[in-house]
Amino acid sequence: MLSRRWTEFPATRDIPLKELLIAALLGVVGLCLNSFELKLGWGMNFILGNALVYAFVRMLAPQSLVLAVSVSSIGSVILWNHPWGWIVSACEAVFVAIVARRTSPVRSVVIYWIVAGAPLAFLFYGGMLKMDQLSLALVVAKHVANGILNVVLGELIYVSLLSGNPFGKFGHWPKLRVECFTVMLFMGTVLIPATVYMALDAPSRERTTMDEVNRNLESRMRVADAKLSAWVDARTTLLRGYADNGQLPRGQSDVRLPKEFSAEFQKIAVLASDQSLAAFALVEGGSVIGTTTAKADLTPSTDTRARLVALNLGQGRSNVDFALVVPHVRNGKADDIVAILRPETLHDLVEIPGQHFVDSVFVASAAQGTFALTHVTTNVRTLVDSMSQSQQATAVTKPVLLSDVDYGRAVTSDLRDSHIVRVGPIAALPEWQVASVLPLAPAVLKARKGQLRQFVALIAFVFLIGLFASRMSKKASKILRRVSQSAADLTQFGGGQTASDQIFIEEVSEISGTIAIAAASFGRERGALASYQRRLKSIAQHAPIIVYAVDVANGEGTVMTYISPSLEEMLGYSTDEGLTPQWWSSSLHPDDYEHCMAAFRHLVPGKAYAAEYRIRHKNGHYVWVYDTLSVEPTAQGAEHEAVGIIMDISERKASEDQLLHADKMASLGRMISGTAHELNQPLNFIKMAASNLRENALRGRLDAEKFISKLENVLAQVERASAILLQMRIFGRTSKEAPSAINLQHTVEAAILMAEPQMELDGTQLVTEVKASDIYVRALPVMLEQVLLNLFINANDAIHSRHDTGDSAEGEIKITIDRNDRSAVITVADNGPGIAPDVLPKIFEPFFTTKPPKEGTGLGLSISYGIIRDMGGVMRAKSSRKGARFIIELPLADATATEAD
C-alpha cells in the first residue's frame, strides 16, 4: 500500500486515490492532535500533530505529504484568524517533501527554516500583522523550534514503527540511513528534553510573573488605603474644628474657603438637620449617584464617621464629583458638613510620583458604583465595569485577569490589552473599596524576554548540534560504508581492506579489524578452494565419469543443477541437453525404468544410493552405467542436494556376460559324461529297434501291430534325447530377454532335468519337496537355472569328497520349494561333509575355492550370488555336521503378470 521507493517523484495523476485518502486521513488525525497544545506559558504553545504526518514522509508521495500537512495545519487559521502560519507550514511540507529525498528529513527542515521558513515568518508576522520586535522574534523562534521538533518526533515515530513493522504485510518500508538516524538522534536529544522542561516550567514561570504583579498590586492598594484613610481622618478633624469655631455657618450659601481647603475643595456647606444631601445636590443642579427620592441619604444619621459620596453636579460636567460628608454636632444639634472635592484631589492623593509601573486606581461602592481615581483608558474602564460580583469577591484574596481573550491561547500581541486587578478595603471609608489595576503586558513581555532568550539559545544549540551531527553522521556513514565494502570485498573477491586506525568508534574498529583478519584467512581458504576446484574440474572434465548434482525436496530429486562436460564424451549429449528437465528419466531403458525409480526414491541425507541401468546414447544405442549418489545439506542448510557420479560399465557388463556364459559352459562340461550316458540309452534302444525291424523286413515277417509299437518306442526315445538336448541348448545360449514373472517350480524342474543324468551316473539322488505350488518370481529362467545348476554341481562334488574319505553312504541333494509373506524360498541341501567355519564367511568371494587346482575357478558361487542380488533377492549359506544348505529368497511376483507377458 505505502511501499513506493521514496526517491520517486510521481506525477499527481499517477498517485493512487487510496494514497491520497490515506494522506487526508493522516491530516485529519494530525488536526485533532493539534488541538491538544503543549503550553509553554503566556500564549506560547507547540502543536505536535504534524509529527504524525512527517512519520510517513518516506511512504507518501510529495503531493500526498503536502496534502496531509495542509489539512493538519488548517486549525491555525481558525485559531489565529490569519493564514500566515498555515502558509509557512505548507511551504515547510513542500520543502521537506522535495529535499528530504536527497538528505535526511531533519536536516531538510533545518535548512528550510534557515533559508525560507524564518524569512517568511518575519515577513508575514512583522510586515502583515505589524508585531512588535519582541513578539515577532519570539513567534519566529517558536515556529522554528516547533517545526524542527515535529520532524524529529516524526522520525522517532517512524523508527518505532519500523522496529515493530506492524504493516510489514503491506509492503517494504525504507530503512534509515546512518545520516538520518544520527541527525535525528542528536536533535531529538536536545529538542525533546528542552521542550518538556519548558512545558513543565511554564506554570512556575507564570506563577512567578503573576506573583510579581500581585505584589505590586498589594503594595499599591496598601498605599492608596493608607493615603485615603489618613486624608479622610485629617480632613474630618479639620472640618469639625472649623465648624466648632464658627467658621463654617449653616446654610446653602457659599463660604469663603480657608487657605487650607481651597486647594482640595471647591465648595463647603453645612446642612441643617432637616436638610438632606439629595436636596443639597438638587440645589447644586445635580444628584447623588445611586440614590433615589425615597432614600435621600446613603447612610443612617446615627453614623458619626465621615463618608465619601459620589455626586453628579450638572450635565455639562464629564467627571464625577466626590463629596466628603462629615457628621457634626453643634449646640446639641446634628448637622452634616459637605465638602465637594476638586476633580484632581483624589488623583493627586493616590498618585505615586516616580513609580516604575503605571497603574489604574478605582474606588468602588456597592451602592454607588465604581469610579476611576486616575487616568484610565476606555478599555480598562470597560474591563473593570464588566467585572462580576464573583470576580470582585475573588479579587479581594488573589489577582484576577481582566482580558477579552483567553491568555492561554493568545498570541503575544493580544496580551497588550490584558490587565490584572486586586481589590481591598479602605479603613476610613468602610462602604468603599479601592481597586488597583495593572497591565499584564509589561510583566508578560519581561517574562517573554526570558522565553526569547531560551528559544534563541535552544535554536542556536540545535543548529550547532545539527552541524555537529551532520559532520558526525557523514563520518560514521563513511566508516560504515568502508566496513560494509570490506565485507562485500571479502564475500565477492576474498580480500578486503586492512584495519584502519582512523576509525574512532571502538566497536566498529574491532569489526574492521575482525574483517581484515577474516579477509586474510578467507584469502588463504579461497586460494586452497580454488586449487580444489581446479582439481575437481579437471577430474570432471577428463575422468571417464559424469559428475552431477540434483536438488532434493521431500526425498525426491527435482531439478538437475549441474552435470559435467564429460556427458558429451560418454553419452553424446551437451551439458545444456543434460540439464533439460526429464532428460534422465526419458533416456532410461524401458526395462530399467521402474528399477531405477525405486532405487532413487526416498532419498535421505547421509545415505548413499546406487543402481546399474541402461541409458540411451544420443546415437540411439544403450549404454550400461553405474550410478551412485549421496544426499547432503546445502550451504544454506534449509534444502538438500544429491551429488553423484555415473560410470560407463558397458565393458564390465560384457565381461560379466562372457564370464556367465563361460560358467554355464563349464557347468555343461561338468555334466557332459552324464548327459552322454543319458543320450546313449535312447540311442542304443533306437539302434536295437532299427536292427530288429531290418531283420524282420529281410525275412518278410513284418507284423503291423509290432512294427507300430516298435516305432512308437523309437519316437519316445527320440523325444527324450531331444528334450535333453533342447534344454542344454537353451541353457547354453546367451539370453538377451527381459526378466518376467516365471513359475518357480517349472524352472527348478528344468534345472533338475539337466543335472539329473550326471547325478545318477555319480550315484547322487535328487529329491524335490514342493511345500507351496504356483509360486511366481520375476527373473530370467536361464539365469536362475544357472544358479541352481552351480549349487547342484557343488553339492555333488562335496558328496564325492566325502566318498573319497571312505564314507560310502548314498549321496542325496534335496531341493525344497516354499514361500513366506514376501518371498519365494528355494533351499538346496546336501548330505556332504559341510563347510568349514573359517571358509563359510568367504564362500561367495570371487576366485575363492576349496577344490584342487584345475578343478575349480572360484567364480561359480560368486556369480550365483550376483545373479540373485540383481534379481532383488538374497542368497545365504549354512553348514552343519549333516551337510551344507544354501537358501535363496526371491521377491514374489504377481501371477497375473505372467498372463500379460
Side-chain angles (χ1 to χ4, degrees), residues 501-570:
D501 295 333
Q502 297 180 353
I503 299 177
F504 56 87
I505 302 175
E506 181 178 356
E507 290 78 2
V508 178
S509 178
E510 292 177 357
I511 294 174
S512 177
T514 304
I515 291 177
I517 296 173
S521 176
F522 188 83
R524 293 191 297 269
E525 295 293 334
R526 187 182 182 88
L529 180 61
S531 298
Y532 297 149
Q533 287 178 334
R534 285 194 300 271
R535 295 167 192 163
L536 291 176
K537 185 176 180 180
S538 177
I539 293 173
Q541 288 179 342
H542 301 99
I545 59 173
I546 299 173
V547 182
Y548 66 90
V550 179
D551 286 340
V552 177
N554 299 322
E556 300 288 341
T558 56
V559 179
M560 186 173 292
T561 58
Y562 170 78
I563 191 164
S564 62
S566 54
L567 171 68
E568 186 170 4
E569 182 178 351
M570 183 181 296

Side-chain angles (χ1 to χ4, degrees), residues 575-656:
T575 55
D576 292 338
E577 291 173 322
L579 294 175
T580 304
Q582 307 301 323
W583 165 81
W584 178 79
S585 58
S586 62
S587 301
L588 292 175
H589 193 285
D591 295 337
D592 297 333
Y593 184 84
E594 293 296 333
H595 165 64
C596 288
M597 291 299 160
F600 297 117
R601 187 176 292 123
H602 306 302
L603 301 178
V604 179
K607 188 176 180 181
Y609 300 84
E612 294 180 358
Y613 55 86
R614 287 161 290 182
I615 190 167
R616 186 174 57 250
H617 194 279
K618 191 173 184 180
N619 294 335
H621 65 278
Y622 284 91
V623 178
W624 272 101
V625 295
Y626 172 75
D627 189 347
T628 179
L629 63 84
S630 63
V631 181
E632 301 295 338
T634 61
Q636 291 76 19
E639 299 177 351
H640 294 89
E641 183 182 58
V643 178
I645 59 173
I646 298 175
M647 294 186 295
D648 187 349
I649 58 171
S650 300
E651 294 182 2
R652 196 197 81 188
K653 278 293 183 180
S655 300
E656 287 180 355

Side-chain angles (χ1 to χ4, degrees), residues 693 701-713:
L693 288 174
R701 297 184 299 177
L702 291 175
D703 187 352
E705 183 177 351
K706 290 182 179 181
F707 181 77
I708 292 172
S709 175
K710 290 285 187 182
L711 288 178
E712 288 178 350
N713 289 331

